[in-house]
Amino acid sequence: MEIATFQLKYHHITHVLPQTATVRCSYGYTLSGTNPRVCGASGWATAPQTCAKNQNCMTLTGPTGGSLDCTGTSVGSTCTVQCNANYVTLSDFTEVTCQSSHLWSHQTNDNSKGLFSPCVEKKAPESRSLAVSMLIEVDSCKTADEKTNLISGLETFMGSQSSITCLADSQCTMEDVACVNENSKSKVTFNLKQTADMTNENVLKTSDTDIQNLVTGNSVTFPITTSKKRETVTVSADSASYTSEVATACAAGQVQTGDTCYTCPAGYKSSPQCGPCPAGSYNPTEGAASCTDCTGGKSTFASGATSSSQCVEVCTVPQVQHGEFNVAVGFKLEPADVLSLTCISG
C-alpha cells in the first residue's frame, strides 16, 4: 500500500528513446488516458493521464448459489440478492444500497470487497408436521363411541375440503386424531404430516392458513351420530379456538434455521454451530467442523473464505497523527493500492 495522490513511475535508460511514464491512481479514483505514457524523439506521443474521483460504486459479484438484481452503480442504486431455486441465503440482509461515499452499504472494514454470504441448497428434513387444535361446540368425546363418531365426522369433513391444499394435492396426511371433553365442548387435535415436496417449507404453512380460514369463517361444520339417541346432529368449530404449530426435524448433520434444513457450506464451520470462517482462515469443504488458518502472515478480505487462494497480503489503513487518508481507518486494501494523505493545517 503506497501513499500518494497518484503514483508516477518513469522507465528511463539514458539517451535511449522511447521513455515511459506510468500513473497509478489513488484508491477511489479511476485512470483516464493511455498508460503508460510514451515519450519519443518528438516529445510525448500520447496525452497526459488523469485520475478522476469515482462517481459510482464498484460492480458487485453475486453470491455462490445465487445472483444479484441491480438497478445500477450510481448513488442510491440498489442490488438485491436472488437465490437459485430451492436455495436460501445465509446473509443477514438481502438488499444493499450505493451510498454517497461511493461504497455499498455492506462494504465495511470487515468486508471491503463487498462480498456476499452464500445461498445454500435446501435439504429435505427428516420430518415436518402441523399440529392443530380446535374446539367443536358439542358436549361429546366422553365415551369411546362419542370419540369415534366425532373423529370420523371430522376426518370425512377434512378429506372433502379441496381448499386444504396439502390434503387436496396429496402432499400430507391427517394423523393422530384425538378428542377430549373440555368444559362441555369437544377439543380435537390432529397432525398434518408432510409427505411430498419436502424441501418446500410453505406446504404446511399454506394449509395451516387454509384450515384457520375455515374455522374463523364458521365453515367447519359436519354431521355426527350421537351415542345416546343414535340421531344425527350437525356440529361446528368454535371460530376463536384454532391454534397450530409447524414442527420440522432436520436429519443428522443438517443445520436448521426456522423450518429450513441445509448442510453447513464451504467457507463455514459446523462446530459449535454453523458460522462463517473468520477473516484469516478458510474451509473448502461443506460440513467441516473447523477452518484452516492462512499462513505466512496472509489473511482474507472477509469472513467465509472457501480456498487457500483467498489468503493474500492484506493492508489495513492505519491511523495517522495530524492527518488522514482518503480511505477510512481500518479499511482493508491490497498492497498495490495507493492512498492519498492529507495533513492537518499547521
Side-chain angles (χ1 to χ4, degrees):
M1 185 169 62
E2 303 180 46
I3 304 171
T5 302
F6 59 85
Q7 183 187 44
L8 182 62
K9 288 186 177 180
Y10 287 93
H11 303 279
H12 172 66
I13 302 175
T14 306
H15 306 303
V16 177
L17 295 175
Q19 300 174 24
T20 62
T22 300
V23 169
R24 288 167 55 201
C25 297
S26 297
Y27 185 86
Y29 287 74
T30 300
L31 176 72
S32 295
T34 302
N35 212 27
R37 191 182 184 196
V38 179
C39 180
S42 301
W44 291 108
T46 56
Q49 304 100 317
T50 59
C51 292
K53 187 173 179 61
N54 292 342
Q55 298 302 310
N56 293 305
C57 289
M58 65 183 291
T59 299
L60 296 172
T61 300
T64 302
S67 60
L68 292 177
D69 181 16
C70 297
T71 61
T73 58
S74 59
V75 174
S77 297
T78 60
C79 283
T80 303
V81 173
Q82 295 182 327
C83 291
N84 297 341
N86 204 43
Y87 279 65
V88 62
T89 180
L90 296 187
S91 178
D92 294 331
F93 52 85
T94 56
E95 183 178 277
V96 295
T97 303
C98 179
Q99 303 173 115
S100 58
S101 62
H102 304 115
L103 294 175
W104 292 98
S105 53
H106 70 309
Q107 272 186 277
T108 62
N109 289 356
D110 296 326
N111 187 18
S112 59
K113 297 289 188 180
L115 304 177
F116 290 91
S117 299
C119 294
V120 294
E121 185 179 12
K122 297 178 184 178
K123 302 294 185 180
E126 196 167 73
S127 65
R128 182 179 287 121
S129 61
L130 171 68
V132 172
S133 172
M134 70 180 80
L135 291 176
I136 305 299
E137 299 199 74
V138 62
D139 188 8
S140 185
C141 290
K142 291 177 287 187
T143 67
D145 282 347
E146 288 180 342
K147 292 179 180 182
T148 298
N149 291 335
L150 191 140
I151 289 172
S152 176
L154 177 63
E155 288 177 331
T156 300
F157 170 81
M158 295 288 289
S160 69
Q161 298 302 300
S162 60
S163 61
I164 303 176
T165 309
C166 76
L167 288 174
D169 294 345
S170 299
Q171 293 178 309
C172 69
T173 57
M174 185 176 177
E175 301 180 357
D176 307 320
V177 188
C179 74
V180 295
N181 189 272
E182 188 174 280
N183 298 324
S184 298
K185 293 185 179 182
S186 299
K187 180 179 180 179
V188 295
T189 57
F190 60 87
N191 292 320
L192 291 185
K193 182 178 180 181
Q194 188 172 342
T195 56
D197 197 10
M198 292 299 293
T199 58
N200 185 354
E201 65 271 18
N202 292 317
V203 168
L204 293 184
K205 291 179 181 179
T206 298
S207 294
D208 183 19
T209 301
D210 296 337
I211 300 171
Q212 185 173 14
N213 288 339
L214 288 172
V215 174
T216 57
N218 295 307
S219 298
V220 178
T221 59
F222 54 91
I224 64 170
T225 302
T226 63
S227 59
K228 290 183 179 180
K229 298 182 179 180
R230 308 303 298 173
E231 62 182 3
T232 300
V233 297
T234 299
V235 298
S236 59
D238 181 337
S239 61
S241 66
Y242 184 82
T243 61
S244 63
E245 183 178 7
V246 174
T248 299
C250 295
Q254 293 180 348
V255 181
Q256 182 167 343
T257 300
D259 294 315
T260 301
C261 302
Y262 58 91
T263 301
C264 197
Y268 282 58
K269 56 183 178 64
S270 62
S271 179
Q273 59 185 18
C274 186
C277 292
S281 64
Y282 65 95
N283 167 40
T285 309
E286 69 174 21
S290 61
C291 304
T292 302
D293 291 334
C294 297
T295 59
K298 295 181 179 181
S299 187
T300 60
F301 278 99
S303 60
T306 60
S307 170
S308 60
S309 65
Q310 292 172 266
C311 294
V312 294
E313 299 288 344
V314 176
C315 297
T316 302
V317 178
Q319 188 166 7
V320 178
Q321 190 174 13
H322 308 306
E324 62 180 16
F325 290 111
N326 62 314
V327 179
V329 173
F331 204 75
K332 292 183 175 67
L333 299 173
E334 297 179 9
D337 288 329
V338 179
L339 294 182
S340 298
L341 175 62
T342 303
C343 295
I344 296 174
S345 177

